[in-house]
Amino acid sequence: MAITREDVLKALGAIRVDGETLPRSGRLSEIAVDATGRVSFAIGALAAEAAALEPVRLAAEAAVRALPGSSGVFVSLTGDRPPA
C-alpha cells in the first residue's frame, strides 16, 4: 500500500505543539513522499526552541514510521522556516 501525504498529515494530527495539532501549528514544511515510501519534512523552530521541540520531532518521526507503506522517515528541526 502506497503512503500518501494525507496519510502523513493524519498521523501528525495526533501530535500537539503550541496548543495545536502539528499540521495546524504552522510549523510544518512541505511533506515529501517519494515512490518508495520515504517521507521527509521539517518542523520550523527558532534556535532557542530546538531542545524543547526535539520530543515533538521524535514523536512525528515515530508516528510516520508506523504507517503502512512507510519505508523511511527524515524529520528535521529547522530555523530556515520559523513558525508561522
Side-chain angles (χ1 to χ4, degrees), residues 2 12 16-18 22-23 25 33 36-37 39-40 42 55-56 64 66 68 77:
L12 295 177
R16 308 277 303 176
V17 63
D18 302 331
L22 186 53
S25 71
V33 181
T36 66
V39 179
S40 62
V56 173
V64 176
L77 294 175

Side-chain angles (χ1 to χ4, degrees), residues 20-37:
E20 294 278 354
T21 65
L22 186 53
R24 291 184 176 263
S25 71
R27 292 182 176 269
L28 281 181
S29 69
E30 184 61 34
I31 296 168
V33 181
D34 75 12
T36 66

